[in-house]
């Protein structure tokens, strides 16, 4: 499939099914969740910053980690 660059009829569908059957999607989601949790923990561990918007920015970064996991596209 990859050698012919997925140009054959049904190549893309076959590749998607192989990834699903092999657990690739579930493994990728689990790894993404692990990295997102680590990223959020690092943001929360940052020292306090001066300025009125620092806390808002910090929470926005944490929200991004959650949004990436839950987006549909």
């Amino acid at each position: 499939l990859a050698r012919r660059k997925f140009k054959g009829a049904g190549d893309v569908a076959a590749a998607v099914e192989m990834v699903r059957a092999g657990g690739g999607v579930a493994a990728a989601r689990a790894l993404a969740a692990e990295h997102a949790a680590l990223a959020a923990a690092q943001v929360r561990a940052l020292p306090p910053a001066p300025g009125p918007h620092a806390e808002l920015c910090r929470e926005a970064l944490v929200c991004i980690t959650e949004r990436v996991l839950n987006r549909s596209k």
Side-chain angles (χ1 to χ4, degrees), residues 6-49:
F6 302 95
K7 291 186 179 182
D11 283 355
V12 173
V16 168
E17 185 52 37
M18 286 181 202
V19 170
R20 283 188 185 144
V25 174
R29 287 183 193 273
L31 184 59
E34 184 179 331
H35 283 279
L38 290 170
Q42 291 299 310
V43 170
R44 290 185 178 111
L46 290 170

Side-chain angles (χ1 to χ4, degrees), residues 13-71:
V16 168
E17 185 52 37
M18 286 181 202
V19 170
R20 283 188 185 144
V25 174
R29 287 183 193 273
L31 184 59
E34 184 179 331
H35 283 279
L38 290 170
Q42 291 299 310
V43 170
R44 290 185 178 111
L46 290 170
H53 301 294
E55 190 60 33
L56 288 173
C57 293
R58 195 176 303 228
E59 284 306 309
L61 288 171
V62 172
C63 286
I64 288 170
T65 66
E66 295 166 0
R67 178 173 281 182
V68 166
L69 293 176
N70 298 316
R71 68 184 180 172

